[in-house]
């Protein structure tokens, strides 16, 4: 088994979009795409994290592909010009993310499509889900989609937003996942500001991880060290008023826009039509077969569904709690995707 090492890539780009939103991103080897066409790996973080969360995963990816690792709009070093419920939907976010990438790559109209692979954790997983459905159905596509060819999507410790909200009918689940309703509510921004956005983020990290904030476990696996390292980064970010506002808009969008769009997807029979890998924590999803949940959202005549469950005491933050296991699962799947792409002529 490989050793986990932290290599936080620096922020390399800050792209201003016509809306005034700025997408900040970390990247690696993007320049090689003009020399050797190959798939591009896009890593999308969740809450309460930033692109910093992938610092242990990146060195463990065995297939060296160009990387694009943005901070989601309003999160981290990215800014959101107007974080409303509508502009914070995952469809709106996806257009911003791909527009930023298109500008970086300087993709002209009519050029060959750039193949991409999506890996999303938590909020980033919801974004990847929305993108995968929209890519699979031409009537949902934005003009920016014409620059890209989606090869596959990997979702880390997440199920579709609609399935999450439906699970809240269980009183215990509703109590444990109170943040979904709270952050979407009318007083969330004011209350988060009073309590401290960074402090709230830290509390959620300890609640969702496989570790207790107060226990002394000797840290033989390094999990506590990695979580504390992340918390030091995230607390500063989520204390900022503009980030608190963006987070609340994100969760309102999940409740009022994203879930409704998934209801329409079900009604119209719109499913993901590319390969999907789900990786999840057994502890976080106790009693739920996450692979089976995702199978309902994939057209398996077009895309293959694979699943990897990570056991033990590992919690929600797979890339920081179990980077080696997560890296192996993602690497093996990416390798299969790239070989499939090469076998089909690399087009």
């Amino acid at each position: 088994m490989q050793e986990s090492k932290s290599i936080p890539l620096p922020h390399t780009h800050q792209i201003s979009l016509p809306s005034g939103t700025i997408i900040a991103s970390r990247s690696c080897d993007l320049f090689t795409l003009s020399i050797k066409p190959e798939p591009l790996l896009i890593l999308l973080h969740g809450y309460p994290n930033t692109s910093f969360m992938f610092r242990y995963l990146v060195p463990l990816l065995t297939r060296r592909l160009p990387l694009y690792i943005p901070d989601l709009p309003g999160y981290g070093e990215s800014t959101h010009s107007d974080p409303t419920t509508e502009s914070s939907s995952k469809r709106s976010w996806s257009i911003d993310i791909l527009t930023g990438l298109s500008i970086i790559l300087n993709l002209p109209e009519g050029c060959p499509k750039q193949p991409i692979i999506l890996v999303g954790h938590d909020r980033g997983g919801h974004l990847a889900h929305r993108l995968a459905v929209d890519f699979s159905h031409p009537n949902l596509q934005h003009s920016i989609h014409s620059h890209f060819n989606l090869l596959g999507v990997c979702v880390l410790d997440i199920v579709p937003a609609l399935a999450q909200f439906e699970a809240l009918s269980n009183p215990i689940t509703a109590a444990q996942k109170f943040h979904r309703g709270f952050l979407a509510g009318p007083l969330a921004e004011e209350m988060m500001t009073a309590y401290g956005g960074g402090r709230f983020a830290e509390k959620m990290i300890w609640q969702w991880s496989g570790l207790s904030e107060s226990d002394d476990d000797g840290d033989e696996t390094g999990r506590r060290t990695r979580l504390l390292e992340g918390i030091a980064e995230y607390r500063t970010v989520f204390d900022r008023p503009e980030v608190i506002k963006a987070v609340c808009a994100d969760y309102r969008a999940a409740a009022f826009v994203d879930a409704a769009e998934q209801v329409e997807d079900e009604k119209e029979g719109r499913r993901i039509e590319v390969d999907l890998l789900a990786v999840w924590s057994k502890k976080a999803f106790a009693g739920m077969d996450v692979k089976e949940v995702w199978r309902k959202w994939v057209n398996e005549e077009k895309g293959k569904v694979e699943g990897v469950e990570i056991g033990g005491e590992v919690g929600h933050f797979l890339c920081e709690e179990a980077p080696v296991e997560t890296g192996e699962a993602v690497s093996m799947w990416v390798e299969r995707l790239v070989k499939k792409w090469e076998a089909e002529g690399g087009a």
Side-chain angles (χ1 to χ4, degrees), residues 47-48 176 179 204-210 251 315-317 321:
Y47 174 81
Q176 292 173 336
H179 68 286
M204 294 303 97
I205 289 173
W206 289 121
Q207 179 175 323
W208 303 337
S209 73
Y251 276 85
H316 178 57
F317 302 98
E321 294 188 68

Side-chain angles (χ1 to χ4, degrees), residues 208-220:
W208 303 337
S209 73
L211 293 170
S212 168
E213 182 177 1
S214 57
D215 287 350
D216 181 8
D217 58 0
D219 201 27
E220 293 181 3

Side-chain angles (χ1 to χ4, degrees), residues 70-275:
D71 285 328
L72 301 181
Y75 282 65
E77 298 305 308
S78 291
T79 63
H80 199 308
S81 59
D82 184 25
T84 65
T85 301
E86 291 72 23
S87 69
S88 299
S89 72
K90 303 309 162 289
R91 177 170 283 143
S92 294
W93 269 11
S94 71
I95 293 169
D96 287 345
I97 294 293
L98 289 184
T99 299
L101 177 58
S102 178
I103 292 171
I104 292 171
L105 299 180
N106 192 26
L107 298 176
E109 293 294 332
C111 69
K113 292 186 177 184
Q114 170 61 50
I116 57 174
I117 300 169
L118 302 175
V119 177
H121 174 258
D122 191 86
R123 318 305 295 164
H126 292 313
L127 194 162
H129 177 196
R130 184 69 262 163
L131 260 174
V133 173
D134 288 355
F135 263 106
S136 299
H137 301 278
N139 62 310
L140 297 179
Q141 291 182 12
H142 183 273
S143 59
I144 194 64
H145 291 89
S146 65
H147 294 295
F148 301 98
N149 174 28
L150 179 62
L151 303 184
V153 56
C154 171
V155 288
L156 301 177
D157 213 56
I158 207 74
V159 293
L162 187 58
Q164 286 185 330
F165 284 113
E166 289 173 344
L168 297 182
S169 61
N170 181 314
I172 295 175
T173 301
Q176 292 173 336
K177 307 298 183 183
F178 75 95
H179 68 286
R180 291 178 188 151
F182 167 67
L183 291 174
L187 298 179
E189 190 175 335
E190 183 179 347
M191 293 177 70
M192 284 272 283
T193 301
Y195 184 79
R199 183 183 176 196
F200 185 84
E202 179 176 359
K203 292 294 183 183
M204 294 303 97
I205 289 173
W206 289 121
Q207 179 175 323
W208 303 337
S209 73
L211 293 170
S212 168
E213 182 177 1
S214 57
D215 287 350
D216 181 8
D217 58 0
D219 201 27
E220 293 181 3
T221 64
R223 279 196 295 153
R224 185 173 297 277
T225 296
R226 292 191 293 271
L227 285 175
L228 287 169
E229 186 180 83
I231 286 169
E233 173 83 8
Y234 308 138
R235 277 201 65 145
T236 301
V237 170
F238 289 100
D239 264 338
R240 302 204 302 258
E242 66 273 18
V243 176
I244 292 174
K245 183 176 182 179
V247 167
C248 295
D250 168 15
Y251 276 85
R252 282 197 303 273
F256 292 100
V257 181
D258 302 335
E261 288 176 343
Q262 288 179 14
V263 169
E264 284 299 307
D265 290 339
E266 281 197 313
K267 180 180 177 182
E268 299 297 328
R270 298 189 294 244
R271 298 184 179 184
I272 295 169
E273 296 186 353
V274 295
D275 290 351

